[in-house]
Amino acid sequence: MKETENIFLTLINQHRAIIHKITKMYMNGAEEQRDLFQEIVLQLWKAYPTFRGNSKFTTWMYRVCLNTALIYFKKDSRKVDKMPLDENIDIIDVNESEVKEEKLAYLYAAVQELNVVEKALIFLFLENQSHREIAENMGISEVNARVKLNRTKEKLQSIIKKNGYEF
Amino acid sequence: MNFDDLKNEWNAENPEGNNISTDMLKIKQAHTPIDKIRAKMKHEFFYQLFFLVFMAFIPYLAGFSTAINQVYLMTYAITCGFTAYYFFKFYLFYKNSYDMSMDSRKNILWFYYEMKLNVELYKALTYIVAFIAVGFLFAYLFIEQASVFARLLKKLSTAYILINCFVTILVIGAITELWAWFYYGKYLKQVKKVVDELDYE
């Protein structure tokens, strides 16, 4: 048992960025992100016996993480903060790394306005998953995955634009 | 907006944070809707158990006649039988583990139908217990002819009694549905929303 626990911990610590990114996409506040993070780790641990090594660990991990996030409801009704980020942020004088961080910050803020399925689609797309892989993970057809993803990208673009940011 | 650039930056981002420790694996309480429903059903189990024990003392407290006492014991045994059957079903639901590594649609549909089935079972048990109670009340009125209620009943017209029975059934139905909705419905609604979003083409 201890050995299984150690192997599991080594594996999820190697890929814990996946959990961090999902929590940031699905939850807005730091406390809620921590709660979801904890829930994902718990569900990964509970589901670990189902991982038989037939697929890559990350493939299995994506599924458990996303399935947990899709049905996780911390509050009775999740209210999304739809306020755009500060429009007065000066993006001219900041260095490249800060610009990148800011881009991602705007992305995380914008995805809060997407529904849970759209968040999953964007997440898998950003994680370099092909349409076929997205379809397999979500349990929908490849055509449907492509159509949904394109719609979600358009929606995300318009949210970012509406929030006064362009990249 | 260039999604390829965004993708590169996304993949370059490496949120650090603390290492996941063994302590995090010791948490027992999960927060999926199904876990929430299970926790609520566990609470209800204790309330109902307390109610059943309390019911066993009603003949002593109410001072029933021998005839009505026999009817009461019969209805009590039937109530216990039905409750035990449904509790066994709920126990299976409580113990049934779920597989989070299925594809999202399969996983969410499993959650949805498992929850819906158990909420329907819960409603069925409530209806059964409520109708047994109403049945006992009628038996009481017919057997205890001398009681105040029975004398009052004799003064009422048949049509009035029938309308009252109909309204009683409607009220039981409405209370059961509303209670189930208030207590469990919100989780079902939330999961159904995800199912619909996945199925929307």
Side-chain angles (χ1 to χ4, degrees):
Chain A
M1 187 65 185
K2 194 74 191 163
E3 195 189 345
T4 314
E5 209 173 276
N6 288 338
I7 296 168
F8 172 77
L9 285 172
T10 312
L11 284 167
I12 55 164
N13 274 316
Q14 273 170 12
H15 305 288
R16 68 177 185 275
I18 293 175
I19 314 176
H20 278 293
K21 285 176 180 175
I22 287 182
T23 55
K24 277 165 85 176
M25 280 192 97
Y26 277 84
M27 293 290 156
N28 220 2
E31 201 173 320
E32 289 186 330
Q33 284 171 9
R34 265 195 301 274
D35 288 345
L36 178 58
F37 188 93
Q38 209 165 49
E39 179 73 13
I40 289 175
V41 173
L42 174 68
Q43 293 298 345
L44 281 165
W45 177 231
K46 279 170 76 176
Y48 188 55
T50 64
F51 176 64
R52 292 182 183 89
N54 297 333
S55 58
K56 279 201 300 188
F57 182 76
T58 46
T59 309
W60 172 86
M61 198 170 159
Y62 282 135
R63 280 193 179 189
V64 179
C65 292
L66 280 177
N67 286 341
T68 307
L70 279 171
I71 54 161
Y72 178 78
F73 299 102
K74 181 67 183 167
K75 288 178 184 170
D76 287 343
S77 72
R78 287 173 49 202
K79 291 192 176 108
V80 169
D81 181 9
K82 292 186 177 178
M83 290 291 289
L85 290 182
D86 187 357
E87 286 172 22
N88 298 321
I89 292 172
D90 185 1
I91 56 161
I92 300 162
D93 294 327
V94 288
N95 63 37
E96 196 187 342
S97 145
E98 280 171 333
V99 171
K100 278 180 182 175
E101 278 176 20
E102 189 179 283
K103 257 187 196 180
L104 290 176
Y106 272 94
L107 172 74
Y108 283 123
V111 292
Q112 300 308 315
E113 291 186 46
L114 300 177
N115 69 41
V116 288
V117 173
E118 290 167 339
K119 284 179 185 181
L121 289 162
I122 282 293
F123 172 79
L124 291 171
F125 162 76
L126 291 171
E127 289 287 310
N128 290 319
Q129 299 243 324
S130 66
H131 289 130
R132 191 177 54 81
E133 286 169 319
I134 293 173
E136 278 173 7
N137 277 320
M138 303 292 288
I140 54 178
S141 70
E142 199 175 327
V143 176
N144 198 4
R146 186 179 300 123
V147 172
K148 275 180 191 290
L149 182 62
N150 285 338
R151 274 194 210 135
T152 308
K153 280 156 109 178
E154 280 168 21
K155 191 174 169 182
L156 190 61
Q157 262 176 323
S158 69
I159 294 167
I160 290 171
K161 212 170 182 177
K162 185 189 82 188
N163 288 353
Y165 197 78
E166 192 78 62
F167 50 83
Chain B
M1 182 169 159
N2 189 332
F3 275 103
D4 289 327
D5 282 351
L6 194 63
K7 214 189 240 189
N8 292 336
E9 280 157 34
W10 173 271
N11 288 302
E13 190 203 23
N14 197 12
E16 274 309 308
N18 294 330
N19 256 6
I20 297 160
S21 67
T22 43
D23 291 341
M24 281 187 84
L25 310 181
K26 287 179 184 135
I27 300 157
K28 294 273 181 261
Q29 186 64 51
H31 289 92
T32 65
I34 218 158
D35 291 300
K36 289 189 174 185
I37 287 186
R38 282 171 176 175
K40 285 194 170 189
M41 280 189 170
K42 193 179 167 187
H43 283 137
E44 285 226 0
F45 168 77
F46 291 112
Y47 295 143
Q48 294 200 18
L49 206 64
F50 172 77
F51 181 65
L52 282 178
V53 172
F54 174 74
M55 273 178 74
F57 292 99
I58 285 181
Y60 302 103
L61 298 169
F64 288 153
S65 67
T66 320
I68 200 71
N69 204 27
Q70 281 176 338
V71 176
Y72 182 81
L73 286 177
M74 222 162 64
T75 51
Y76 182 65
I78 294 170
T79 307
C80 286
F82 272 115
T83 310
Y85 171 75
Y86 279 98
F87 276 175
F88 177 68
K89 291 266 178 195
F90 293 142
Y91 174 76
L92 292 181
F93 167 63
Y94 191 76
K95 285 285 162 195
N96 199 4
S97 59
Y98 45 81
D99 180 7
M100 284 293 228
S101 61
M102 289 189 286
D103 68 55
S104 299
R105 195 172 179 278
K106 262 188 206 162
N107 182 66
I108 284 153
L109 281 177
W110 182 89
F111 266 77
Y112 179 66
Y113 286 110
E114 187 79 354
M115 283 159 63
K116 198 167 173 55
L117 176 72
N118 280 280
V119 171
E120 292 302 322
L121 277 174
Y122 168 81
K123 283 199 272 189
L125 175 64
T126 315
Y127 278 122
I128 288 168
V129 172
F131 285 121
I132 289 173
V134 171
F136 173 75
L137 188 71
F138 278 105
Y140 177 83
L141 292 174
F142 282 105
I143 293 168
E144 299 281 314
Q145 294 288 341
S147 73
V148 181
F149 301 118
R151 271 182 281 157
L152 187 71
L153 198 68
K154 273 180 192 164
K155 287 180 188 165
L156 302 170
S157 70
T158 317
Y160 184 78
I161 294 168
L162 284 174
I163 290 169
N164 262 292
C165 290
F166 182 68
V167 170
T168 307
I169 290 168
L170 281 185
V171 169
I172 290 172
I175 291 172
T176 308
E177 295 294 329
L178 282 173
W179 180 249
W181 179 249
F182 169 76
Y183 217 50
Y184 302 114
K186 56 189 167 188
Y187 302 114
L188 265 176
K189 193 181 160 193
Q190 284 168 327
V191 174
K192 178 75 170 63
K193 205 176 151 199
V194 183
V195 173
D196 291 343
E197 278 163 8
L198 263 175
D199 284 346
Y200 179 75
E201 290 190 17

